[in-house]
Amino acid sequence: MIKSHPHPDTENITVKCAVVTVSDTRTSETDKSGKLIQDLLLSAHHLIADYQIIKDEPDKIQAYIESISKNQNVDVIIFNGGTGIAPRDTTYDAIANLLEKTLPGFGEIFRFLSYQEIGSRAIASRAVAGIYQNKLIFSLPGSSNAVRLGMEKLILPEIIHLFKQMQNH
């Protein structure tokens, strides 16, 4: 049972988002998870300001974050892919090393919700979220089920609230 929000978001704010799929094999034609993120954001009346597929290499991931952090047309970056523990899964490390503030609850709750769906395999997920250069960053596993879970249960319900919190500096 989900409790109501302590202070509901009454404003309809359009958040400008970048969607990034981290993969060595996916293309724009085969990127179901990246498309799903975009579709869910658009359905919630947010804007897709950028879409990229980046190889799972820490320097490429960090270079993208550094570059997009200077873009005033992007408020939020949502990554998918590369969050496991295989040798090529470097998304978590690349992002976590840059974050200025982390949102530990994002990964904790994501893994809890994921555990309810897939059981103990959820411990291998290194989903993470935080802030870098006044950009909100989320990183989800690459499976479409994980993306749907993270987007519908965590990101979409909180994106406006978190965006507004960042504007209060």
Side-chain angles (χ1 to χ4, degrees), residues 111-119 122 145-146 148-149 153:
R111 282 181 286 280
F112 170 74
L113 294 170
S114 185
Y115 176 79
Q116 295 175 335
E117 290 190 0
I118 65 168
N145 287 342
R148 183 174 299 283
L149 176 73
K153 300 287 188 186

Side-chain angles (χ1 to χ4, degrees), residues 11-86:
E11 295 178 68
N12 285 333
I13 296 175
T14 298
V15 179
K16 299 171 288 208
C17 302
V19 177
V20 182
T21 294
V22 178
S23 174
D24 293 332
T25 58
R26 291 191 187 161
T27 65
S28 56
E29 293 78 32
T30 62
D31 183 18
K32 291 179 184 155
S33 293
K35 180 171 178 6
L36 179 59
I37 293 170
Q38 292 177 70
D39 290 346
L40 291 169
L41 287 167
L42 292 170
S43 293
H45 309 290
H46 298 298
L47 180 71
I48 308 303
D50 192 41
Y51 166 67
Q52 299 287 325
I53 298 176
I54 298 175
K55 297 274 187 221
D56 201 341
E57 297 174 16
D59 57 333
K60 288 186 176 4
I61 296 165
Q62 288 181 336
Y64 176 81
I65 293 170
E66 293 282 351
S67 170
I68 204 78
S69 70
K70 296 169 180 62
N71 186 335
Q72 297 301 312
N73 293 319
V74 173
D75 304 311
V76 175
I77 309 165
I78 302 173
F79 285 87
N80 78 94
T83 61
I85 60 168

